[in-house]
Amino acid sequence: MARKSTSADGKPKPKRVRRKCKAPGCVNRVVQGGVCVTHGAKRKLCSHPGCSKAVKLAGFCSAHGPARRKCDWIGPPDESGEPRTCDRVAVQGGRCLSHGARRRVCNYPG
């Protein structure tokens, strides 16, 4: 049985209501101006010259946006004496999954 989300006082939280497209018979979510992308909402495009991808963050797409934080693991020195580092993207607590970020595990028994 799924848990119900509750507030600090123990009362159930109301479900977040997402607006639906106002085109007749459409069940998609509103993006802009009361309509979905299918019915005319304009999506913001990447600000990088020549790129036509949709914006993810700070006006740029995932390819041109701000750099993602790297894993801060520092390993034993290699042959040249330089400490080894990890090039993967940090997921949680500054670490990648291989170096200590915890995976979210379902707490449903079974």
Side-chain angles (χ1 to χ4, degrees):
M1 187 166 145
R3 284 194 200 180
K4 295 229 178 197
S5 182
T6 57
S7 61
D9 61 356
K11 294 181 182 176
K13 287 183 182 179
K15 275 190 124 180
R16 183 173 164 181
V17 178
R18 303 222 183 233
R19 295 186 321 160
K20 301 286 184 205
C21 177
K22 55 185 170 182
C26 183
V27 295
N28 294 330
R29 290 184 188 163
V30 166
V31 174
Q32 179 187 32
V35 292
C36 64
V37 174
T38 306
H39 293 107
K42 301 291 182 200
R43 298 194 70 185
K44 293 181 183 177
L45 299 179
C46 180
S47 301
H48 192 270
C51 182
S52 60
K53 292 181 181 178
V55 165
K56 280 281 202 186
L57 182 67
F60 292 98
C61 66
S62 56
H64 300 114
R68 295 182 67 188
R69 199 167 133 207
K70 300 290 183 198
C71 178
D72 62 7
W73 176 82
I74 298 173
D78 59 8
E79 300 83 39
S80 66
E82 292 289 321
R84 291 188 297 172
T85 58
C86 178
D87 294 328
R88 295 187 203 118
V89 174
V91 177
Q92 181 186 30
R95 298 287 177 102
C96 68
L97 290 173
S98 297
H99 294 117
R102 289 190 180 155
R103 290 179 192 250
R104 287 192 178 145
V105 180
C106 177
N107 60 3
Y108 184 75

